Amino acid sequence: MKRRLAGHAVNPIGLGCMNLSHAYGHPPSPEDGVKLLHKAIELGVDHFDTAALYGFGRNEELVGPALKPYRDDILLASKCGMQGVDGKRVIDGRPEALRATLEDSLRRLQTDRIDLWYLHRFDKLNEVPIEDSVGEMARLVETGKVGAIGLSEVSAETLRKAHAVHPIAAVQSEYSLWSRNAEIAVIDACADLGAAFVAFSPVARGFLGGGDLDPENFAEKDIRRGMPRFQEPHFSQNAVLLPEFRRIAKEADITPAQLAIAWTLSKGQHIHAIPGTTSIAHLEENIAAGDVELSAEIVSRVETLINQNTVSGPRYPAGTQAEIDTEEFAGA
């Protein structure tokens, strides 16, 4: 059953494309990346998510040409407001920066429009009002180069301020059994405003994927190396949760990753999930989660097992946490 996103009816499981160029150590070759994108099309994926930041433009350069033959049949999402400048990650929500980013993204994506364009980060560090950033994005919607506007990693308060300037079609934030912050206010605020909620990392950055994850084996540039939940003493405490989670998945006759994704989608009809992967086998596994119907008992059991009170460690290091605008649980 398809769900609404930015004026389109799409499958509730899309593809987060970041992994193909960015963040988890050694990305696949461009040729293998294209193969995975084309396999996603074959499996019925019609929502693809990229960003100017990913690979400092390389992800858009990969995704755009690969999906160009299918352009009119898919929803293509990208992001602005955070990008690579002279080899460094920079947050910049100024109107002039967003205009320049859009033109660069359109060129790399080889398209004349981006269906859903997110502000990747609310530029609170440089004190750029959300109204200024969204106001410029709204003007770019009027040009026809942007279909709809989204926000990423924002609070309900920021969402409502932005929505007063221009309708916000979607909010994208991390959401999974082990990252429940969105339940404080944003998921409900999206429903109130008629916006979709797009969950990235629904498999908890691989933690709930079912494999034998060992942070010691992460690649040197894997961003999880800097995340407290994958560091000691937190990782050992979190790993204790996995055997029972896997038992529950086995009882439901699905894989752990499918249980994680299906749980995310069960939390609201306006919720979408965009798991990322570099593996075609994992891609097939993830997409099949769209056919899973979880019982109320299974949902209750996994929520009781894995939640903000049972998971150890913050999801981001302090520096990254300062850049985002999401609500936090007390004591987190």
Side-chain angles (χ1 to χ4, degrees):
M1 181 70 70
K2 295 198 173 188
R3 298 183 179 184
R4 300 297 298 178
L5 177 62
H8 298 247
V10 297
N11 289 319
I13 301 175
L15 180 65
C17 299
M18 179 181 77
N19 305 44
L20 301 178
S21 310
H22 185 88
Y24 290 102
H26 306 296
S29 68
E31 293 78 13
D32 286 342
V34 169
K35 287 179 183 177
L36 187 136
L37 289 165
H38 288 171
K39 184 63 175 181
I41 290 284
E42 180 184 322
L43 293 171
V45 175
D46 50 9
H47 168 202
F48 293 83
D49 183 273
T50 181
L53 174 72
Y54 300 159
F56 290 7
R58 291 191 302 276
N59 195 243
E60 288 181 328
E61 289 174 344
L62 173 73
V63 169
L67 297 180
K68 193 172 183 178
Y70 315 98
R71 183 65 189 88
D72 291 337
D73 300 318
I74 63 169
L75 183 150
L76 182 60
S78 192
K79 307 178 193 72
C80 62
M82 186 161 63
Q83 59 190 316
V85 178
D86 297 329
K88 296 182 179 180
R89 182 176 65 90
V90 172
I91 296 175
D92 191 344
R94 295 173 302 158
E96 58 268 30
L98 304 186
R99 285 196 302 274
T101 299
L102 177 62
E103 295 304 323
D104 289 342
S105 289
L106 291 172
R107 172 180 51 80
R108 290 190 293 255
L109 290 166
Q110 297 186 17
T111 187
D112 61 355
R113 72 195 186 281
I114 295 173
D115 300 313
L116 175 55
W117 198 42
Y118 293 94
L119 184 66
H120 208 157
R121 289 292 184 270
F122 163 33
D123 191 357
K124 61 177 184 175
L125 296 182
N126 296 313
E127 299 183 349
V128 179
I130 191 67
E131 293 89 347
D132 288 5
S133 297
V134 171
E136 183 60 28
M137 295 173 78
R139 285 185 283 275
L140 293 168
V141 169
E142 294 173 359
T143 70
K145 296 178 179 180
V146 173
I149 295 172
L151 303 174
S152 178
E153 294 274 37
V154 298
S155 65
E157 179 183 3
T158 297
L159 167 60
R160 293 185 187 280
K161 287 181 180 178
H163 193 78
V165 175
H166 187 277
I168 301 300
V171 171
Q172 179 177 141
S173 284
E174 182 174 0
Y175 184 51
S176 67
L177 279 160
W178 88 338
S179 292
R180 309 282 282 276
N181 308 65
E183 294 178 357
I184 298 172
V186 170
I187 289 177
D188 287 344
C190 285
D192 290 344
L193 297 174
F197 181 87
V198 178
F200 72 78
S201 298
V203 190
R205 301 185 185 276
F207 179 75
L208 299 176
D212 293 323
L213 205 63
D214 183 354
E216 292 295 322
N217 295 329
F218 288 163
E220 181 181 353
K221 293 185 178 180
D222 191 315
I223 60 172
R224 293 174 294 182
R225 281 190 171 273
M227 294 179 172
R229 290 180 181 178
F230 291 99
Q231 300 171 340
E232 294 300 347
H234 304 298
F235 184 75
S236 293
Q237 295 178 47
N238 293 329
V240 171
L241 303 171
L242 290 175
E244 179 62 18
F245 182 74
R246 292 168 180 169
R247 277 193 289 271
I248 295 171
K250 188 174 182 179
E251 284 182 33
D253 198 25
I254 54 178
T255 69
Q258 289 170 343
L259 176 56
I261 295 168
W263 174 86
T264 301
L265 294 178
S266 76
K267 303 309 291 182
Q269 286 300 307
H270 65 306
I271 295 176
H272 299 249
I274 50 168
T277 185
T278 60
S279 161
I280 286 180
H282 289 164
L283 173 70
E284 293 172 333
E285 177 185 353
N286 293 345
I287 301 307
D291 296 325
V292 173
E293 293 281 346
L294 297 179
S295 68
E297 180 199 6
I298 292 291
V299 169
S300 176
R301 285 172 63 190
V302 294
E303 288 181 350
T304 300
L305 177 69
I306 303 176
N307 57 62
Q308 68 273 15
N309 298 314
T310 63
V311 170
S312 180
R315 65 188 180 107
Y316 283 138
T320 305
Q321 190 65 40
E323 297 173 350
I324 63 173
D325 185 52
T326 52
E327 290 90 356
E328 298 296 320
F329 290 103

